[in-house]
Amino acid sequence: MKKFLTLICCTIVLAATSCKKEYVTTAPSATTIFDTTPAFVLADGQGSIHGYTTTLNVPELTDYYNNHGAVLVYLDNSDGTLEQLPNVYGGVSYRFAYETGKLYIDAQNADGSLPTGANIPPPLKIKIVLVP
């Protein structure tokens, strides 16, 4: 019986000491904050948006993020809180699209109509997070 228990203990000790630990390190995410976006311009009839659009130059946005990473965009709604896009704020629906070096933010009424009057989006504070 002692030999059997010794054999089991040795097997457990051998199995426990033969494990190899692997450490995976990842690159930190990059954050870009635009204090004010360029003014929104009327994009009616251009593409799928029936509203306004603005373009941001983001040189950090490389092909890597199209293939492997993630792009997160947040809108500062003037009271210090950030809301992630796509989002509806004040009756206006905001969404974003991107390509290498550029980020596009579109705005239209939540019902799909063209924003008018007070619903025309003003320049906004935007936070962009690039996750590798």
Side-chain angles (χ1 to χ4, degrees):
M1 184 71 174
K2 280 186 174 183
K3 287 183 182 182
F4 183 67
L5 287 175
T6 304
L7 183 60
I8 290 176
C9 288
C10 288
T11 304
I12 291 173
V13 168
L14 181 63
T17 59
S18 65
C19 294
K20 179 183 174 188
K21 290 185 180 180
E22 288 187 32
Y23 296 97
V24 178
T25 57
T26 58
S29 60
T31 302
T32 304
I33 296 178
F34 287 86
D35 286 334
T36 359
T37 62
F40 282 84
V41 294
L42 186 61
D44 195 29
Q46 298 177 12
S48 63
I49 185 75
H50 186 68
Y52 292 85
T53 188
T54 188
T55 302
L56 300 171
N57 291 319
V58 186
E60 300 87 359
L61 192 52
T62 61
D63 280 334
Y64 175 84
Y65 295 100
N66 288 331
N67 300 322
H68 306 289
V71 178
L72 306 173
V73 179
Y74 298 88
L75 169 70
D76 184 346
N77 58 8
S78 72
D79 65 0
T81 60
L82 296 170
E83 296 189 31
Q84 188 172 4
L85 298 184
N87 196 359
V88 177
Y89 178 70
V92 177
S93 173
Y94 293 92
R95 70 180 181 106
F96 74 96
Y98 62 92
E99 64 183 30
T100 302
K102 295 199 181 298
L103 179 87
Y104 306 99
I105 300 174
D106 302 325
Q108 66 184 16
N109 281 339
D111 64 1
S113 64
L114 182 66
T116 58
N119 282 346
I120 295 175
L124 303 166
K125 186 173 182 180
I126 300 292
K127 177 180 178 180
I128 302 168
V129 179
L130 303 175
V131 181

